[in-house]
Amino acid sequence: MTCNKLWYKQAVIYELNVRGFYDANSDGVGDLAGVTAKLDYLQNLGVDLIWLLPIMKSPLRDGGYDVSDMQDINPNYGTMDDFTTLVDETHRRGMKIMVELIPNHTSDQHPWFQASHDPNHPEFQKYKDYYLWSDTDQKFKDARIIFIDYEKSNWTYDPIRGEYYWHRFFYHQPDLNYDNPEVQKAMMRTVQYWIDLGVDAIRVDAPPYLFEREDSSSENLPESHAYYKRLRAFVEAYSPEIMLLAEANQWPEETRDYFGDGDEFHMNFHFPLMPRLFMALAKSDRTPIDNILARTPEIPECCQWGIFLRNHDELTLEMVTEDERQFMWEFYAPDPRMRLNLGIRRRLAPLLDNDQRKIRLMHTILLSFLGSPVLYYGDEIGMGDNVELRDRDGVRTPMQWDDSINGGFSDVEPQKLRIPVIDDDIYGYQTVNVKASMEDPTSLLSWLKIMIMIRKQHSVFGEGTSTLCSSKNKSIIAYFRENEQEKILVIANFSSESQQVALEEMGIKDEELQDVLNLYQPVVLEDRILTLEGYGFRWLKVGSA
Ligand code: NOJ
């Protein structure tokens, strides 16, 4: 395994929902040509890797994670030509593209399932074992149900085949049977197919659930890891620049296994860290972060964590204790409509009371801590959410480009939009939009652009070590990022009150300090004590090197 192609360690990732980004052909649905039309915006923001939520053919009952053809584009989003144009134009601007692989399941509309569930189908024999069928719904009892607000069992009865089929997610998303070598091969071919189309990275959806075994949770099984190692070996041989990112929503010890010995996934999201950033902010106390980092193992040198604040799903509270979940729900989701499954279906700005100080503080940590940051479209302008919409649609509303009809997302009549644009007094497109944000040098967007630029000037944020300091003042989080070139101390204040930090506690005696966010402003210290305003933060370069 070579370690010298580490572009993903330096990448700022931008996750976007094609359906909600920009409607270039005025049919009310965002499309690939729409993303191409907005590439200059993304380049200007400074992102490196554009993560497209699923674009494959799908009945869209789970935002496209219910795939009916893994090697075709959803016609609502355009054509294969539109996709290759998007890839080319992205590359031309020096950015990269990440698509989704959804290996665990398909839609029940997928031709494989259509053949598998119908004994009279001409291809029944070929596909009958592509999914997990059983004459009882009592197998694999120890596997949890994930979408608890929608599903009562992981088995659903199919009256045509007269058997139950297994599904870890919605009932209309049957799980593929990885004990069938044909399924394993089909998924490898899908990976090859998207690599051939020129993508740079692949986010692998729901990796823990590939295999099922009795008397186990059927998560993280050795068989699943063995398959991912084969997948990685194939990618390594076929196209070694490709990055594989796992969406393993697990405790750190289990997630660690998805890196293997540097021979499985290049990147993994650090799911348990995310709610703890919100907890620390709510309690003005960094202890939850200390605790989860203490539980976070070292990862192989070529590997990288992916960190995020929000994404297209509910803010998941699966990787917290029962007490912590109650706290998070009471604090961040007081209205029951804000809760979904084991999580919170709200966007970043409303979660943080639209308080610019808190929003910037959280972004400052996102951009400087532990791994590659993932931004979620719309959060860079402080978009709101809509709890009236079903499932997770409320956090997937159209991007707000300007104050024209539909926020500039589409010029169809508003009633024709599948998901309505946010139109309330605080977060409505009339005030919260890209155009207004770009024109205002003090906006979140303008600030974020500068922060991304500064992050990129310091390779230490992408590939340096990350060491937490144990300062007595728990309202403060402080960590060193360090590589051969430089050492940067990040200090942030989770409390609304100003706080004092003794630099000696961080092991800093008389080293020179330079504020990398304000190069021309000397760092003001009194007796080596730094004062941080409420929700304030600093990035301090230590030493003169
Ligand atoms: C995880 C995805 O992020 C989520 O949106 C989807 O519903 C499930 N996997 C099932 O594919």
Side-chain angles (χ1 to χ4, degrees), residues 284 286 470-477 499-501 505:
S284 307
R286 66 154 199 280
S470 53
S471 69
K472 279 196 229 84
N473 183 342
K474 296 279 185 189
S475 300
I476 297 289
I477 183 169
Q499 301 288 329
Q500 299 209 311
V501 195
E505 266 194 287

Side-chain angles (χ1 to χ4, degrees), residues 228-371:
Y228 292 125
K229 283 191 202 301
R230 282 178 44 216
L231 182 72
R232 171 66 182 271
F234 166 71
V235 167
E236 202 68 31
Y238 192 67
S239 193
E241 295 279 332
I242 298 287
M243 181 269 279
L244 298 172
L245 165 61
E247 186 233 4
N249 182 359
Q250 300 287 324
W251 290 100
E253 311 85 74
E254 274 98 39
T255 308
R256 167 66 186 80
D257 293 342
Y258 288 84
F259 293 115
D261 296 322
D263 58 353
E264 215 169 307
F265 287 90
H266 303 80
M267 280 186 64
N268 256 292
F269 289 114
H270 198 315
F271 271 95
L273 174 64
M274 179 274 300
R276 287 168 178 82
L277 296 173
F278 288 93
M279 256 184 256
L281 182 63
K283 297 181 169 179
S284 307
D285 181 344
R286 66 154 199 280
T287 308
I289 303 175
D290 283 357
N291 293 344
I292 205 66
L293 287 189
R295 243 181 111 161
T296 300
E298 289 292 313
I299 60 175
E301 206 192 331
C302 303
C303 295
Q304 175 78 326
W305 291 109
I307 60 173
F308 60 101
L309 297 171
R310 289 296 295 112
N311 65 17
H312 63 289
D313 289 326
E314 67 273 30
L315 187 167
T316 169
L317 300 173
E318 284 156 288
M319 295 302 131
V320 297
T321 64
E322 188 56 47
D323 286 351
E324 290 171 331
R325 187 176 306 132
Q326 282 310 327
F327 171 82
M328 285 290 286
W329 268 334
E330 278 159 32
F331 193 90
Y332 286 111
D335 176 342
R337 291 174 308 169
M338 296 169 173
R339 303 177 187 182
L340 179 73
N341 300 317
L342 290 183
I344 299 174
R345 50 188 203 126
R346 300 186 75 191
R347 261 193 185 266
L348 186 66
L351 276 168
L352 304 183
D353 306 319
N354 208 16
D355 182 332
Q356 285 299 309
R357 295 173 309 164
K358 294 191 208 168
I359 296 174
R360 290 178 194 210
L361 170 78
M362 292 294 262
H363 272 107
T364 216
I365 295 173
L366 177 71
L367 288 172
S368 62
F369 205 24
L370 200 69

Side-chain angles (χ1 to χ4, degrees), residues 368-387:
S368 62
F369 205 24
L370 200 69
S372 297
V374 184
L375 303 164
Y376 182 52
Y377 86 100
D379 283 349
E380 75 272 27
I381 53 168
M383 261 170 61
D385 52 44
N386 181 352
V387 289

